[in-house]
DNA sequence: GATTTTTTGTGATGTATATCAATCTTGAAA
DNA sequence: TTTCAAGATTGATATACATCACAAAAAATC
């Protein structure tokens, strides 16, 4: 149990130093959650009470279009943050699904608690600021890749960037993440 | 001159309150820059010393592919932040171009100064944290729109979301932002 | 106000990728 | 270990969109 909090502490301290007092305060605002493969973390229409830091496991965040087709917004594994950020921030019903591709374990942080620790502990505000900034940069890169690259190039790019992910995730889901049909992806040679 | 700083102050205070003392400190870390239409704010290969808050004007951030085709990552106008965030954050040479579609005026913030005011004034850290979070949410929405919607739907969506932008920007650039050819966009009926 | 330059529109044609369908393979569950 | 569901592959066909080419309209520049 201590281990898990140790992991989270390390995650914070990669970005900002925290005193023991600060850390104890911060830590007390998280709770743990466990889910098995195929269980939902977030569902469309349901309240989104938390954002989640993944201790262990793998999830996919996705939306379903009118034709029932799944479009993957994000894969998230150990050391990643995931939520329906839009719904969470605005405290509105979920707009996407998030479910587990493997048995998973999370630290949960409510909006109220996040704001509390950010305004109470400046280093935490800076932590989330810097994290969020990196996230923003990554999404800009992904948008550029969607605008400028062919599906095959995006596939090659992903294989280089996240080789471990490819091992853990069925190719049909990779296809959905890349914005290409599974049949087309299957015809690429990589 | 005072007016401009007043605008920036309002921009901060929409998110977090600041004492006069804090504001004076923060304000002193910005400098003003003016550019005419067609001038570059950021160029590929050049240092990216600042991120910019737009006082007045309109810019496009874009990359050029091997075939010389332009892909627009972002339009930014009054009250928007813009930079080559990747290059800025990592203090590396520019990876994209940003140039002015209209005569424009900016507040410039260096990385050093940003970190300084964030660690000096917690409210500022929270300001950037919250702003960055909203930015992240917007980019996620854009990614979903690229994955789930047809080009025509994305166009309709943009017309509803940013009607003012459509007035100020040639349609060929809108096409490039939406990831569609100008000819195809021209055949849509909206 | 005349003249370039930029932007927009429209037809003809090409291409990457989607979709449909059938089979084969792999992995999970009982 | 067997059984059944999920994933992957491959062919045939359809389609959204790109590209090329040219003309018209609008806007910027002298």
């Amino acid at each position: 149990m201590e281990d898990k909090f140790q992991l989270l502490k390390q995650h914070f301290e990669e970005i900002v130093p925290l005193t023991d007092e600060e850390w104890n305060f911060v830590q007390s605002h998280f709770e743990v959650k466990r889910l098995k493969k195929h269980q939902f973390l977030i569902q469309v229409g349901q309240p989104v009470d938390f954002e989640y830091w993944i201790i262990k496991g793998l999830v996919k965040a996705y939306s379903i279009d009118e034709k029932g087709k799944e479009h993957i917004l994000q894969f998230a594994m150990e050391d990643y943050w995931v939520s329906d950020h839009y719904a969470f921030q605005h405290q509105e019903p979920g707009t996407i699904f998030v479910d587990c591709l493997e048995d998973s374990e999370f630290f949960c942080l409510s909006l109220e608690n996040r704001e509390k620790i950010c305004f109470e502990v400046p280093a935490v505000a800076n932590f989330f600021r810097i994290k969020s900034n990196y996230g923003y940069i990554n999404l800009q890169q992904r948008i550029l890749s969607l605008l400028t690259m062919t599906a095959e190039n995006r596939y090659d790019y992903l294989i280089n960037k996240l080789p471990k992910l490819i091992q853990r995730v069925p190719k049909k889901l990779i296809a959905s993440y890349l914005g290409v049909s599974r049949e087309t992806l299957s015809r690429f040679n990589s």
Side-chain angles (χ1 to χ4, degrees), chain A residues 4 14 17 30 32 50 59 71 83 86 114 117-118 134 142 165 178 183-184:
Chain A
K4 286 166 203 163
E14 273 169 29
F30 285 87
V32 176
F50 302 100
V59 304
H71 302 272
S83 188
Y86 178 87
R114 190 188 68 186
I117 60 178
C118 281
Y134 281 122
R142 177 143 174 233
L165 184 71
L178 294 172
E183 294 94 331
T184 296

Side-chain angles (χ1 to χ4, degrees), chain A residues 7 11 32 35 52 58 60 63 65-66 76 82 96 100 102 116 134 145 152 171 175 182:
Chain A
L7 287 173
H11 177 63
V32 176
L35 288 181
Y52 302 91
L58 177 60
K60 64 176 200 277
S63 97
D65 68 22
E66 326 80 55
V82 70
I96 58 172
C100 299
E102 302 173 0
K116 204 162 141 201
Y134 281 122
S145 79
E152 185 160 13
K171 283 190 185 162
R182 67 185 210 292

Side-chain angles (χ1 to χ4, degrees), chain A residues 111-178:
Chain A
L111 185 61
E112 197 187 335
N113 280 344
R114 190 188 68 186
E115 296 308 305
K116 204 162 141 201
I117 60 178
C118 281
F119 281 96
E120 203 69 39
V121 184
V124 171
N126 277 296
F127 169 80
F128 281 109
R129 171 179 70 83
I130 290 163
K131 271 286 158 194
S132 187
N133 194 229
Y134 281 122
Y136 184 89
I137 290 167
N138 274 325
L139 293 191
Q140 279 204 335
Q141 306 269 83
R142 177 143 174 233
I143 287 170
L144 269 185
S145 79
L146 286 167
L147 291 178
T148 64
M149 298 164 97
T150 64
E152 185 160 13
N153 286 151
R154 290 201 294 279
Y155 187 41
D156 293 343
Y157 180 75
L158 186 67
I159 288 173
N160 279 312
K161 202 177 168 192
L162 296 172
K164 285 172 282 180
L165 184 71
I166 313 282
Q167 313 303 321
R168 286 168 81 174
V169 173
K171 283 190 185 162
K172 62 181 263 189
L173 297 184
I174 299 290
S176 160
Y177 175 85
L178 294 172

